[in-house]
Amino acid sequence: MSVSRIELGSPRPTRRRRLGHRFDVTAHLVRTELATRHRGSLLGWLWALVPTLAQLVATYFLFTRVIPLDVPDYPVFLLVGILAWQWFTRSLGEGVGSLEQRRELALRPGFALELVPATSVLVALVDYLLALPVLVVALAVTNGLQPESVLLPLLLAIQLVYCVGLVLALAPLQVFVRDVRQIVALLVTVGFWITPVFYGVRQVPDSFVWVYRLNPMAHLIGAQREILIEGTWPEPGPLLVVALVGLAFLGAGWLLFRRLRDSVPEHL
Amino acid sequence: MSREPVIGVQGVSKRFRRRGPRPATLKDLVRHPLEHRNRDDFWALKDVSLRVRAGETVGLIGANGSGKSTLLRLVGGLGKPTRGRIVTTRPVQAILSLGDTLDPYLTGRENATLIGILSGLRRREVVARLDEIAAFAELESFFDRPLRTYSEGMQLRLAFAAATSAAPEVLLLDEVMSVGDLRFQEKCFHRLEEMQQGGTAVLFASHDEEHVRRLCDRVVWLSHGEVAAHGSPDDVYARYETGMHLETARRSESLARDEPEHEAAAGEERFGTYEVEIAAVRIEPASVVSGRNDGGSLRIAVDLAPREPVEGPILVVTMHHADDYAKVLEVNTSGDGSELGRLDTPRTVTLDLDRLDVQPGEYRLSIGLFERDWKFAYDYHWHAYPVHVEDGGAGFGPPRRWSAT
């Protein structure tokens, strides 16, 4: 027998190597997802942007010409809301069905299954980041870039925590009860109207404001508008609570995922 | 090479809940709330135990639905056993199906990278092996074309090359050796054999007897989720073929009954078609003393009782260590040129072993009567008759002669 060209065993899976490997898997899944989605289309990755801009134009027309809302800096106000909300809805929309979609990964021994729903959130985040230059230019030409904008990564991180927590819980549930996707789609549709995406909490009558205080996305979008458009620091108290609740979501999502993970393969 | 056990399966049972078309919707739950309690349980595995050591290959055989794939999945960590325990002491890689992970819109290179990363390599390690993967799969000129332009054989070659580019320490293989043409299959075998020599432990499920005999040191036959036989490929296939023959015969009703008339020895495992029965076995002496001048002789007399006439059966006597099943002796009438001819009346066949010359210890004899072409067993008493070899004080007693000049 000739001397083997293959060496036995990849290096011992130290903790560091495992983390690095997970990073590679995630990066590769995100990359191939992005690569296959737009390959062969004329506009390519611009398709991540076009629906956002179309929605922006239509909504802008509706709430300035048809039902004027009288919000200052409405184009950027609207863009901030739509971008954040779209990241949220795309994360859920793709993430909930992701385990069914990537069945072959769920049936691979030793695969870190949680990376599949997490990938959906990250792909939606890349869409968000691709649209970010448009927002930056829009902010620059309207009322200038505010120094408070440096807080944006923190707000995005909090939203990431919420998205990942939710899809970790919902993706395995969807495998067991196939109604979850429809229920989520319904809640997201309703959520669009009861979250200040195209309007602000200031437009809401006082007696209903408490509803908005319970909505983390309302806090996050509001805070984004404060730092990006108004140039004011958001109140740290509520934001801290939102962040802590987000971590609780993530923890609960992770626990539920771990509980259900072992039964996922036999239900696919 | 370390021979430590790397896969341990201990008394594993797996229950699946068979309840209509599986994915429940809320509507189902509301409309049939009771079905939850009345469900029909299905045991895919029942009390299965096995162990695979480093460098060892164990084959899983059995009909479709006998639990081979379920066992592989559980060992791979997909799902938990309902009862029992599975221990793997090394990272497990599996090729349970080729081609599933491939994406038709990615190029061969991108697909190979994806599979390599999913097989546990860091990205840079995969990239360093890409040329080798392309060369092994013989796809160099196609490597940067999208996978949808590949033939099925090319896709399988790519998948196998990428999945095995990092030789794993524990490999689960499910019926994937029928990759591509015969020449490429040979290449795959060669790679697997390299891994075996490097110490990879392999659990290999297959329907192909030739593949199993070639790769496996031991074979486990699963039947309806239970271990029907466990041992060397020869042993297990003998019993497997008999079982198959019996099933065929039962179906065609050519055998009126297949229960033996003669009582079996205590504690033995017995199988066969019972067209001829091994009615009694006498072993003399009960206890052999090794190290004696005669080496310890043994006489085995086997009473054969034909239920119907058979032509040219073969009597086999095998001796194993009682504890680890290691074979020390296997002889048969056909191999020794003692044809039994036509068997239509009861006969006694006697085997005289003049010199046993084995180490002191506990042994078991398996005695079987096989069809003339070894297709199946008429009656096989497996691991049934104990032989005790006493220590005569001199260790072995080889044939010897003293002389002085």
Side-chain angles (χ1 to χ4, degrees):
Chain A
M1 183 76 48
S2 64
V3 175
S4 169
R5 286 178 66 195
I6 45 179
E7 303 142 40
L8 182 70
S10 30
R12 278 271 172 277
T14 58
R15 193 180 169 73
R16 200 173 144 218
R17 186 184 158 85
R18 239 187 349 248
L19 276 178
H21 182 249
R22 283 187 182 203
F23 176 82
D24 282 2
V25 172
T26 315
H28 199 79
L29 288 179
V30 170
R31 195 176 358 222
T32 51
E33 179 77 35
L34 290 169
T36 47
R37 195 171 50 178
H38 301 304
R39 192 166 288 186
S41 73
L42 286 177
L43 289 180
W45 61 268
L46 278 178
W47 277 117
L49 212 55
V50 171
T52 312
L53 296 178
Q55 197 193 356
L56 180 76
V57 170
T59 316
Y60 179 76
F61 170 76
L62 180 64
F63 293 113
T64 53
R65 299 291 184 273
V66 185
I67 317 165
L69 281 181
D70 234 8
V71 176
D73 303 312
Y74 195 58
V76 282
F77 178 94
L78 193 55
L79 189 54
V80 168
I82 287 179
L83 285 181
W85 183 254
Q86 276 197 342
W87 176 23
F88 181 71
T89 55
R90 284 181 185 174
S91 296
L92 286 187
E94 294 297 315
V96 171
S98 58
L99 291 181
E100 288 176 305
Q101 283 282 316
R102 313 279 337 233
R103 191 175 172 276
E104 76 284 357
L105 293 179
L107 295 178
R108 266 192 96 85
F111 183 74
L113 198 54
E114 63 274 15
L115 298 182
V116 169
T119 298
S120 305
V121 177
L122 292 177
V123 168
L125 173 62
V126 171
D127 284 346
Y128 178 92
L129 295 177
L130 285 174
L132 204 55
V134 178
L135 178 61
V136 172
V137 170
L139 286 169
V141 300
T142 50
N143 41 356
L145 294 172
Q146 310 296 338
E148 287 79 3
S149 303
V150 296
L151 214 55
L152 184 64
L154 175 69
L155 296 179
L156 296 184
I158 298 175
Q159 188 172 338
L160 182 71
V161 165
Y162 271 98
C163 290
V164 172
L166 281 172
V167 295
L168 277 181
L170 294 172
L173 279 179
Q174 162 70 14
V175 176
F176 295 98
V177 186
R178 307 261 154 140
D179 304 58
V180 169
R181 189 207 291 270
Q182 275 84 352
I183 295 169
V184 169
L186 180 71
L187 292 180
V188 165
T189 310
V190 174
F192 174 75
W193 302 102
I194 60 169
T195 302
V197 179
F198 60 89
Y199 56 95
V201 180
R202 275 170 214 152
Q203 271 87 22
V204 176
D206 287 346
S207 52
F208 290 110
V209 168
W210 65 271
V211 178
Y212 289 80
R213 290 207 194 287
L214 295 177
N215 180 346
M217 280 306 288
H219 285 279
L220 289 172
I221 292 175
Q224 275 203 31
R225 284 169 177 155
E226 283 176 272
I227 61 166
L228 294 175
I229 303 169
E230 295 164 22
T232 56
W233 296 106
E235 268 188 82
L239 209 53
L240 184 68
V241 173
V242 168
L244 290 177
V245 171
L247 288 174
F249 262 66
L250 183 62
W254 173 238
L255 286 179
L256 188 63
F257 186 87
R258 281 212 353 205
R259 230 190 112 73
L260 296 178
R261 179 174 56 188
D262 286 336
S263 319
V264 163
E266 66 194 64
H267 286 89
L268 275 172
Chain B
M1 192 193 306
S2 66
R3 302 290 294 173
E4 58 188 311
V6 290
I7 301 176
V9 176
Q10 296 159 3
V12 164
S13 300
K14 177 70 181 174
R15 179 181 56 202
F16 286 117
R17 310 208 141 145
R18 205 155 40 177
R19 165 157 58 103
R22 188 55 181 96
T25 61
L26 285 179
K27 195 171 127 195
D28 292 339
L29 287 180
V30 172
R31 284 174 67 184
H32 311 290
L34 287 178
E35 223 160 300
H36 225 68
R37 267 156 260 166
N38 297 341
R39 71 191 144 219
D40 174 13
D41 285 349
F42 162 68
W43 290 91
L45 291 174
K46 281 173 269 181
D47 195 24
V48 172
S49 297
L50 63 93
R51 204 154 47 161
V52 187
R53 294 172 185 279
E56 192 181 33
T57 298
V58 173
L60 292 176
I61 65 170
N64 286 328
S66 57
K68 301 190 298 289
S69 298
T70 305
L71 182 59
L72 284 182
R73 283 184 173 193
L74 289 181
V75 172
L78 296 174
K80 288 268 180 284
T82 314
R83 288 192 205 129
R85 226 154 64 92
I86 291 181
V87 185
T88 49
T89 60
R90 293 281 181 275
V92 177
Q93 285 304 321
I95 311 179
L96 298 186
S97 54
L98 288 175
D100 256 13
T101 327
L102 299 175
D103 187 327
Y105 293 98
L106 297 176
T107 65
R109 182 183 301 277
E110 288 164 328
N111 270 300
T113 313
L114 177 62
I115 296 172
I117 290 178
L118 291 177
S119 315
L121 292 176
R122 295 296 309 266
R123 184 182 165 76
R124 56 171 186 277
E125 294 164 346
V126 184
V127 170
R129 286 169 208 242
L130 280 175
D131 287 342
E132 196 261 325
I133 293 173
F136 186 86
E138 298 162 26
L139 287 169
E140 290 99 330
S141 52
F142 284 86
F143 213 40
D144 288 307
R145 297 211 198 149
L147 200 83
R148 61 191 150 79
T149 65
Y150 285 33
S151 72
E152 195 178 336
M154 289 158 76
Q155 296 190 16
L156 291 175
R157 263 148 55 194
L158 180 76
F160 186 88
T164 56
S165 68
E169 290 182 76
V170 179
L171 180 65
L172 312 177
L173 277 176
D174 193 357
E175 205 64 72
V176 289
M177 289 306 295
S178 42
V179 174
D181 52 43
L182 281 177
R183 196 183 53 81
F184 190 75
Q185 262 187 36
E186 193 50 41
K187 221 166 144 179
C188 295
F189 269 114
H190 195 72
R191 172 164 277 192
L192 284 173
E193 281 158 2
E194 282 181 351
M195 288 186 196
Q196 290 178 323
Q197 289 179 358
T200 300
V202 186
L203 194 54
F204 174 47
S206 177
H207 286 295
D208 192 315
E209 181 173 344
E210 200 187 315
H211 293 172
V212 173
R213 282 182 181 273
R214 175 162 176 188
L215 287 174
C216 299
D217 307 301
R218 282 188 292 127
V219 178
V220 172
W221 169 23
L222 287 178
S223 173
H224 305 290
E226 286 175 286
V227 176
H230 185 168
S232 72
D234 287 341
D235 264 359
V236 176
Y237 270 110
R239 311 184 63 176
Y240 184 65
E241 298 300 326
T242 306
M244 292 298 107
H245 179 80
L246 209 54
E247 211 143 291
T248 318
R250 207 176 277 149
R251 262 183 224 126
S252 61
E253 290 175 14
S254 68
L255 285 175
R257 44 187 298 240
D258 44 44
E259 288 306 310
E261 282 170 7
H262 299 269
E263 281 295 308
E268 79 184 63
E269 266 197 70
R270 183 177 189 184
F271 65 95
T273 60
Y274 306 127
E275 284 154 273
V276 182
E277 281 189 54
I278 295 173
V281 174
R282 292 179 302 281
I283 299 169
E284 292 163 17
S287 180
V288 182
V289 179
S290 85
R292 284 191 355 206
N293 280 342
D294 63 1
S297 64
L298 191 67
R299 162 172 287 196
I300 301 155
V302 182
D303 293 346
L304 299 176
R307 193 177 284 174
E308 50 197 87
V310 297
E311 248 353 290
I314 304 165
L315 188 67
V316 186
V317 174
T318 320
M319 190 158 108
H320 293 97
H321 280 282
D323 47 357
D324 64 357
Y325 301 93
K327 191 191 289 179
V328 291
L329 172 80
E330 180 170 291
V331 293
N332 67 72
T333 50
S334 168
D336 290 341
S338 311
E339 303 296 342
L340 293 180
R342 186 178 163 85
L343 201 65
D344 45 12
T345 51
R347 262 164 66 187
T348 299
V349 181
T350 306
L351 170 67
D352 275 307
L353 294 163
D354 296 335
R355 307 184 59 90
L356 208 48
D357 278 340
V358 294
Q359 285 187 330
E362 293 299 329
Y363 297 87
R364 292 270 188 285
L365 292 177
S366 303
I367 294 172
L369 190 72
F370 280 78
E371 191 264 352
R372 62 194 300 177
D373 294 319
W374 298 96
K375 285 211 188 83
F376 54 88
Y378 295 120
D379 195 357
Y380 192 35
H381 297 193
W382 184 72
H383 221 64
Y385 302 99
V387 171
H388 174 73
V389 178
E390 268 174 45
D391 193 345
F396 287 118
R400 56 191 178 269
R401 198 167 54 241
W402 300 89
S403 57
T405 51

